[in-house]
Amino acid sequence: GRLEAVTQQMGYHPQYLDSFLKTQHYLMHMDGPLPFDCRHYIAIMAAARHHCRYLVNLHVLQFLQAGGDPQWLRGLDYIPPKLRNLNEINKILAHRPWLITKEHIEKLLKISEWSWSLAELVHAVVLLAHCHALASFVFGCGCEQDEGLGGRGSLKALSPGNQCFCEATAGNGCGQELLRINRKRSLDSCMELDSLRERMQRIHVETDGREEMRLLQQDREEGKGAAVPHLDSSAGLSPPADPDGEVTGATNLACYMQDPDFGYQDFARRDENQTQVFRVQDYSWEDHGFSLVNRLYSDIGHLLDEKFRMVDGLQSTAMAKRQGCEPSVFKRGIWNYIHCMFGIRYDDYDYAEVNQLLERVLKVYIKTVTCYPEKTNAEMFDRFWKQFKHSEKVHVNLLILEARMQAELLYALQAITQYMI
């Protein structure tokens, strides 16, 4: 039941929630190429790229419940080389997916003791994209600050008013059943969670102690005195800060990352050429990505496709009315703007429409949540169309989630396709 803050927000759009829960359940809990503990560890690695404590803590608990080795939670140095080798594409997909190439795929698939199979790699790629995009939603809707998961900061957890979450999913069998199962699991395992938290705390204390000693030794050598490790804010990787400006939990999540200074950079449109820009006409989800992912990881393509279609079918009449256009036109403007930030272009779209449809405040919000979600703050959310219903703001965050996930998948699946040719 630890995903409640996320599912409460998605509960404003119960049909989408049902589709999301089916996909999430299939990725994490149904038959697939990857062991269950590895799935949750990959989710930890993905969420850590954006300092998303909410998702990291969620999957740490589920990793231990799945029988995962607690030593792995000490950081990437303590996991099998096969998993650690996934770090490079995790980093690239999270921040600059246009840099992924068939050489990255080949390196993981090459014949060796630690090689990946194609099916395993596709499962891992979908997990990475899913968790990167979900981190954007978590920060965009304020779920990161759920106190039950140790969140700290100025952005408060949001709630769906008086709407009962069970009622929100009524009529959507899968969503209702999964919520019932999640609640039962939560009740059945409440005592076990106390034990898991104690184990987590011991692991983090040990990790923090070693990190402090390393930093003190480094400071002595450099003669600079004790200091908090600096993360380049321009790279979009500054950890959340509390109201007093204290950096929170950077070292805990740093153990799950390598190259923490690697972050999003604006796609170089001024240097645009045929090799840099991703043309959807040449490689699309509908014509290429869907069939490849479904062939290598049975049925996941159908679930993802349903989710993409579901978010496209959500109504946003009030938002569109304000801009004086049809809902479909408004949603396409947001979707194409997000893809444009990742270097994905549609030849049949006039990008001048984006500036006409999306106000500057909205564009800043979308870019922040999409590209460096950990920098999202309460002021951005409050300034983002104050007069609109909360459900409409959630809708925008769902568009961000799905557009970002599809962008990452397109780059990764294209690279896999190029390797297979």
Side-chain angles (χ1 to χ4, degrees), residues 156-180:
K156 298 178 181 178
L158 303 167
S159 64
N162 298 323
Q163 183 183 36
C164 173
F165 188 54
C166 301
E167 294 172 357
T169 57
N172 295 277
C174 179
Q176 192 173 20
E177 177 64 14
L178 283 175
L179 288 171
R180 185 190 66 77

Side-chain angles (χ1 to χ4, degrees), residues 155-205:
L155 190 60
K156 298 178 181 178
L158 303 167
S159 64
N162 298 323
Q163 183 183 36
C164 173
F165 188 54
C166 301
E167 294 172 357
T169 57
N172 295 277
C174 179
Q176 192 173 20
E177 177 64 14
L178 283 175
L179 288 171
R180 185 190 66 77
I181 291 171
N182 280 339
R183 286 195 298 273
K184 184 176 184 302
R185 282 177 179 166
S186 183
L187 291 171
D188 291 344
S189 63
C190 61
M191 294 187 67
E192 180 185 355
L193 287 178
D194 290 336
S195 174
L196 291 176
R197 289 193 189 96
E198 289 178 7
R199 291 162 66 190
M200 287 168 57
Q201 183 63 29
R202 287 198 299 271
I203 292 167
H204 285 313
V205 167

Side-chain angles (χ1 to χ4, degrees), residues 399-414:
L399 286 168
I400 292 172
L401 187 161
E402 295 301 339
R404 176 179 179 177
M405 182 173 185
Q406 188 179 101
E408 291 189 27
L409 285 177
L410 284 174
Y411 277 109
L413 295 175
Q414 184 192 51

Side-chain angles (χ1 to χ4, degrees), residues 338-358:
I338 294 166
H339 277 195
C340 182
M341 289 187 286
F342 287 114
I344 297 175
R345 295 300 187 93
Y346 296 77
D347 288 345
D348 61 349
Y349 186 72
D350 178 7
Y351 284 87
E353 285 189 12
V354 170
N355 290 330
Q356 298 169 5
L357 293 172
L358 309 183

Side-chain angles (χ1 to χ4, degrees), residues 307-319:
K307 198 154 60 81
F308 293 146
R309 294 178 185 276
M310 190 64 66
V311 79
D312 185 56
L314 295 179
Q315 295 300 311
S316 55
T317 53
M319 292 189 294

Side-chain angles (χ1 to χ4, degrees), residues 56-201:
V56 169
N57 286 345
L58 167 74
H59 287 289
V60 162
L61 289 173
Q62 293 188 354
F63 169 80
L64 292 171
Q65 287 179 315
D69 184 349
Q71 289 298 312
W72 290 16
L73 300 180
R74 296 172 68 182
L76 299 184
D77 292 338
Y78 298 89
I79 64 176
K82 179 175 178 176
L83 264 182
R84 190 162 57 247
N85 292 341
L86 198 65
N87 179 71
E88 185 69 12
I89 66 168
N90 175 33
K91 176 183 75 173
I92 292 173
L93 283 177
H95 306 295
R96 306 175 207 169
W98 57 87
L99 296 181
I100 196 167
T101 65
K102 67 178 182 181
E103 284 73 29
H104 291 108
I105 305 302
E106 184 177 13
K107 185 177 180 180
L108 291 168
L109 298 175
K110 67 182 181 181
I111 305 301
S112 73
E113 182 182 358
W114 306 110
S115 64
W116 291 71
S117 70
L118 269 172
E120 289 174 331
L121 184 56
V122 166
H123 192 171
V125 161
V126 175
L127 276 171
L128 291 173
H130 173 80
C131 291
H132 294 155
L134 187 54
S136 284
F137 184 86
V138 165
F139 280 105
C141 287
C143 306
E144 169 67 7
Q145 306 310 325
D146 177 13
E147 293 182 2
L149 288 170
R152 294 175 62 198
S154 59
L155 190 60
K156 298 178 181 178
L158 303 167
S159 64
N162 298 323
Q163 183 183 36
C164 173
F165 188 54
C166 301
E167 294 172 357
T169 57
N172 295 277
C174 179
Q176 192 173 20
E177 177 64 14
L178 283 175
L179 288 171
R180 185 190 66 77
I181 291 171
N182 280 339
R183 286 195 298 273
K184 184 176 184 302
R185 282 177 179 166
S186 183
L187 291 171
D188 291 344
S189 63
C190 61
M191 294 187 67
E192 180 185 355
L193 287 178
D194 290 336
S195 174
L196 291 176
R197 289 193 189 96
E198 289 178 7
R199 291 162 66 190
M200 287 168 57
Q201 183 63 29

Side-chain angles (χ1 to χ4, degrees), residues 8-80:
Q8 279 183 346
Q9 298 303 314
M10 292 183 181
Y12 281 106
H13 303 281
Q15 288 184 312
Y16 174 86
L17 171 64
D18 185 71
S19 183
F20 173 86
L21 289 175
K22 285 192 293 185
T23 305
Q24 169 98 355
H25 185 71
Y26 189 84
L27 274 173
M28 293 298 180
H29 304 294
M30 299 297 287
D31 289 342
L34 293 175
F36 295 111
D37 59 341
C38 289
R39 300 182 197 190
H40 292 294
Y41 200 88
I42 289 170
I44 291 169
M45 293 171 63
R49 287 307 313 182
H50 287 303
H51 299 276
C52 187
R53 186 173 301 282
Y54 180 97
L55 291 178
V56 169
N57 286 345
L58 167 74
H59 287 289
V60 162
L61 289 173
Q62 293 188 354
F63 169 80
L64 292 171
Q65 287 179 315
D69 184 349
Q71 289 298 312
W72 290 16
L73 300 180
R74 296 172 68 182
L76 299 184
D77 292 338
Y78 298 89
I79 64 176

